[in-house]
């Protein structure tokens, strides 16, 4: 395996060493033998985050899943996470200004910001960087500034009660801000 192949392998699994090892153990062994530095992996993660953010702008209907992916990728960075988190805030603020996010996407973004109770949410990352704290607090408030409509619920799995999902996401964000303050 050469460095170019290692990069393609790394990026195809969004930098998740767990998935690389679990799904392609032999290839992961070759990857590890190459000895890719942590600094190089962080550069690849930054490139992945940039790619995800550019795709998010062109596809607001999948913004929630893209934000979750960005948070996952950036959350594994050892250094340099501030710039991608600034770029994420820029994109989300722009999308809010243009009303590009529907209520479901806003809920999904709030869920990604809160994380799932562990240290895996965007709020944790924002709170690690003093220059991002207030900006993300304002951003989360703006994302949560809507009322669920009956049309936000439906028969789709996980969306039978959008209002309850919204309430849970907002509560999880509040808790995350307290936890990482």
């Amino acid at each position: 395996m050469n460095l170019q192949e290692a990069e393609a392998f790394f990026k195809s699994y969004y930098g998740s060493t767990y998935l690389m090892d679990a799904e392609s153990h032999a290839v992961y062994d070759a990857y590890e033998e190459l000895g890719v530095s942590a600094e190089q992996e962080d550069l690849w993660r930054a490139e992945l985050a940039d790619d995800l953010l550019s795709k998010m702008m062109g596809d607001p209907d999948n913004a929630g899943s893209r934000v979750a992916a960005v948070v996952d990728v950036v959350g594994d960075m050892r250094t340099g996470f501030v710039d991608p988190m600034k770029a994420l805030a820029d994109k989300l603020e722009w999308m809010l200004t243009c009303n590009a996010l529907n209520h479901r996407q806003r809920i999904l973004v709030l869920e990604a910001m809160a994380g799932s109770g562990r240290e895996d949410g965007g709020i944790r990352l924002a709170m690690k960087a003093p220059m991002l704290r207030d900006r993300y607090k304002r951003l989360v408030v703006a994302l949560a500034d809507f009322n669920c409509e009956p049309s936000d619920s439906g028969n789709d799995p996980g969306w039978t009660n959008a209002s309850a999902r919204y309430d849970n996401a907002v509560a999880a964000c509040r808790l995350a801000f307290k936890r990482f303050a």
Side-chain angles (χ1 to χ4, degrees):
M1 174 176 284
N2 62 34
L3 192 60
Q4 187 176 12
E5 293 167 333
E7 178 182 5
F9 177 66
F10 182 88
K11 287 182 175 180
S12 71
Y13 287 97
Y14 288 94
S16 170
T17 56
Y18 172 79
L19 290 177
M20 287 189 277
D21 188 31
E23 294 184 13
S24 299
H25 185 72
V27 180
Y28 183 65
D29 285 345
Y31 176 85
E32 282 202 313
E33 285 179 21
L34 191 59
V36 176
S37 71
E39 293 81 14
Q40 182 62 58
E41 288 180 340
D42 280 353
L43 288 173
W44 291 340
R45 284 185 179 98
E47 291 170 6
L48 279 167
D50 286 344
D51 184 52
L52 288 163
L53 288 168
S54 68
K55 288 177 181 173
M56 183 175 76
M57 297 303 290
D59 186 15
D61 290 340
N62 289 309
S65 60
R66 300 249 193 253
V67 170
V70 168
V71 168
D72 285 346
V73 167
V74 173
D76 288 337
M77 293 177 77
R78 293 161 194 90
T79 61
F81 71 92
V82 173
D83 287 340
M85 289 303 290
K86 282 182 186 176
L88 176 58
D90 291 343
K91 304 291 190 225
L92 288 171
E93 288 167 348
W94 182 84
M95 292 178 95
L96 283 170
T97 301
C98 297
N99 293 317
L101 296 173
N102 65 34
H103 292 173
R104 285 188 181 192
Q105 291 307 312
R106 285 181 173 211
I107 292 169
L108 290 169
V109 171
L110 290 168
E111 290 172 345
M113 288 292 105
S116 59
R118 301 180 314 271
E119 295 192 5
D120 61 353
I123 289 171
R124 176 190 63 91
L125 293 168
M127 296 302 280
K128 284 175 50 175
M131 74 280 298
L132 295 176
R133 289 178 185 164
D134 289 338
R135 185 175 184 193
Y136 268 87
K137 285 179 182 176
R138 288 189 305 273
L139 179 58
V140 168
V141 166
L143 283 163
D145 187 20
F146 70 93
N147 294 313
C148 281
E149 303 290 332
S151 61
D152 295 329
S153 296
N155 294 328
D156 299 327
W159 292 103
T160 56
N161 188 343
S163 184
R165 190 164 177 172
Y166 165 83
D167 291 341
N168 290 336
V170 171
C173 285
R174 286 187 186 125
L175 182 62
F177 277 118
K178 287 179 186 176
R179 186 180 323 122
F180 302 114

